[in-house]
């Protein structure tokens, strides 16, 4: 579905007050107006201070943020909506520090907000399975020495990356951080990110061999200097990913690596719809249920 482009001024106009944000949330939850979950009455009043609807018939109260991404939040919805806007419009990926300054919250709060927004991003992409012709490789993040497998890999975190390729153009991508590149982690990646029975190209690294169990496997031993010919697209994506990680996060804490990978992938997969991103991301967050594992913010 095509979404309209939205400027900062337009965002302010549409989502600049708490009431406006509450109405957006209520509209998503009850598209045809509030219905009491206990007695089905449509007659209710809204208690502003607590953001709850109270059924006029049985007095049952329902919070508009319950069962949403904003469940038990202490923050105003206006701040949440702005956080979504700034996250969507910052091409390099906004840092928690910058977000904290923009919306007037502490760094730990901004960190938690970004964590939740990135979970919504990851969930949107988790539905998709790569198909047709796919380049697939492993890479290493962090560490002092360049290079990948074997020597120099200490202090680095391995990732698996796959990109659809057609007529020298990239399609969708998927990326996952793993503890080790092994047949098990490769199998898990393939199952979660690709449709079965596609054509998947790799170099001849043995751990990537499970590819042949599910796909047409094109593999070749390639010397380092020729790898960008055999797997051009996945290497462009990996180098852009490294720039993204170094630019915003100045060397990544492995604890948050998957979050950053999810954000990179979400943006990459929507690179042709950049002007629509704020509203798309808002929709992804509005459609998302509560995130129980994350701390509240
Ligand atoms: Zn009721």
């Amino acid at each position: 579905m095509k979404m309209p482009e939205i400027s900062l001024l337009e965002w302010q106009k549409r989502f600049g007050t708490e009431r406006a944000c509450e109405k957006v949330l209520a509209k998503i939850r009850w598209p045809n107006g509030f219905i009491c979950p206990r007695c089905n009455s449509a007659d209710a009043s809204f208690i502003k201070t607590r953001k709850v609807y109270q059924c006029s018939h049985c007095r049952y109260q329902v919070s508009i943020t319950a069962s949403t991404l904003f469940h038990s939040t202490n923050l105003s919805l206006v701040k949440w909506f702005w956080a979504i806007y700034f996250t969507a419009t910052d091409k390099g990926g906004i840092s928690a520090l910058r977000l904290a300054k923009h919306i007037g919250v502490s760094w730990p709060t901004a960190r938690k907000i970004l964590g939740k927004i990135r979970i919504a991003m990851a969930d949107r992409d988790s539905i998709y399975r790569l198909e047709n012709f796919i380049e697939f490789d492993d890479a290493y993040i962090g560490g002092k020495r360049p290079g990948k497998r074997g020597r120099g890999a200490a202090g680095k975190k391995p990732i698996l990356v796959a990109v659809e390729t057609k007529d020298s153009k990239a399609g969708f991508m998927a990326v996952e951080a793993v503890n080790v590149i092994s047949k098990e982690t490769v199998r898990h990646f393939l199952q979660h990110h690709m449709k079965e029975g596609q054509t998947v190209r790799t170099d001849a690294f043995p751990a990537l061999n499970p590819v042949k169990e599910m796909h047409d496997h094109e593999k070749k031993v390639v010397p380092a200097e020729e790898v960008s010919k055999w797997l051009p697209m996945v290497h462009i994506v990996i180098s852009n990913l490294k720039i993204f990680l170094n630019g915003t996060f100045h060397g990544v804490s492995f604890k948050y690596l998957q979050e950053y990978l999810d954000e990179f992938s979400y943006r990459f997969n929507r690179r042709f719809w950049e002007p629509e991103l704020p509203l798309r991301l808002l929709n992804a967050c509005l459609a998302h249920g509560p995130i129980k594992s994350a701390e509240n913010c």
Side-chain angles (χ1 to χ4, degrees):
M1 186 178 64
K2 179 133 175 68
M3 301 281 285
E5 196 172 335
I6 188 160
S7 68
L8 191 131
L9 280 176
E10 181 65 19
W11 192 273
Q12 163 71 19
K13 214 158 94 188
R14 283 174 64 176
F15 310 118
T17 68
E18 202 58 14
R19 191 67 198 120
C21 300
E22 286 162 4
K23 279 185 179 161
V24 173
L25 207 54
K27 184 82 186 158
I28 298 265
R29 296 196 64 193
W30 301 289
N32 303 311
F34 177 82
I35 297 281
C36 173
R38 188 191 269 173
C39 76
N40 286 329
S41 165
D43 200 9
S45 51
F46 186 66
I47 305 171
K48 263 199 207 165
T49 47
R50 296 177 47 229
K51 290 190 184 5
V52 296
Y53 277 100
Q54 179 169 283
C55 173
S56 310
H57 185 68
C58 75
R59 306 267 153 208
Y60 189 69
Q61 294 186 342
V62 190
S63 154
I64 57 162
T65 57
S67 331
T68 72
L69 185 83
F70 317 109
H71 188 79
S72 300
T73 188
N74 299 316
L75 274 188
S76 69
L77 290 173
V78 172
K79 287 193 178 189
W80 267 108
F81 277 46
W82 274 121
I84 291 163
Y85 182 85
F86 290 126
T87 307
T89 51
D90 198 312
K91 284 181 195 171
I94 195 165
S95 66
L97 191 63
R98 197 145 26 123
L99 180 63
K101 282 182 188 158
H102 279 341
I103 64 169
V105 299
S106 68
W107 180 86
T109 300
R111 173 92 265 309
K112 288 179 214 160
I113 292 171
L114 281 174
K116 287 193 176 186
I117 292 175
R118 291 188 186 123
I119 288 174
M121 287 175 160
D123 278 10
R124 272 287 146 120
D125 272 0
S126 70
I127 306 161
Y128 192 77
R129 297 283 180 279
L130 305 184
E131 59 182 0
N132 299 323
F133 185 81
I134 302 158
E135 292 179 21
F136 180 40
D137 203 3
D138 58 324
Y140 292 78
I141 301 295
K144 288 197 175 68
R145 281 195 268 175
K148 47 191 264 179
R149 297 156 186 158
R151 266 189 75 226
K156 295 174 192 282
K157 182 88 172 169
I159 59 171
L160 290 166
V161 190
V163 189
E164 294 170 343
T165 306
K166 196 184 173 192
D167 304 329
S168 308
K169 288 196 181 76
F172 282 87
M173 68 163 290
V175 56
E176 218 171 276
V178 289
N179 288 326
V180 57
I181 307 287
S182 67
K183 288 189 171 146
E184 286 66 40
T185 56
V186 166
R187 228 173 250 129
H188 182 272
F189 183 93
L190 296 171
Q191 281 159 355
H192 284 82
H193 298 289
M194 295 180 200
K195 282 184 187 162
E196 249 186 76
Q198 311 304 309
T199 303
V200 181
R201 179 179 283 194
T202 68
D203 60 16
F205 188 51
L208 304 180
N209 276 340
V211 167
K212 69 170 185 279
E213 297 163 10
M214 297 168 234
H215 303 280
D216 216 355
H217 190 187
E218 288 187 358
K219 64 172 179 178
K220 190 163 96 173
V221 182
V222 241
E225 63 276 13
E226 276 171 38
V227 89
S228 57
K229 280 189 196 140
W230 181 244
L231 297 164
M233 223 36 91
V234 76
H235 283 110
I236 291 171
V237 167
I238 290 167
S239 76
N240 286 344
L241 172 62
K242 287 182 175 172
I243 292 167
F244 173 80
L245 294 174
N246 286 333
T248 310
F249 308 108
H250 309 293
V252 166
S253 150
F254 289 152
K255 189 179 163 194
Y256 301 122
L257 179 59
Q258 187 60 49
E259 266 188 30
Y260 300 145
L261 299 179
D262 291 337
E263 177 171 352
F264 178 84
S265 182
Y266 180 88
R267 283 176 189 288
F268 183 89
N269 290 340
R270 287 157 192 78
R271 63 199 181 281
F272 301 122
W273 306 294
E274 213 167 68
E276 303 174 29
L277 263 196
L279 285 173
R280 279 176 177 264
L281 185 56
L282 177 62
N283 271 1
C285 290
L286 289 172
H288 203 282
I291 296 167
K292 291 197 180 84
S293 56
E295 296 163 280
N296 278 327
C297 48

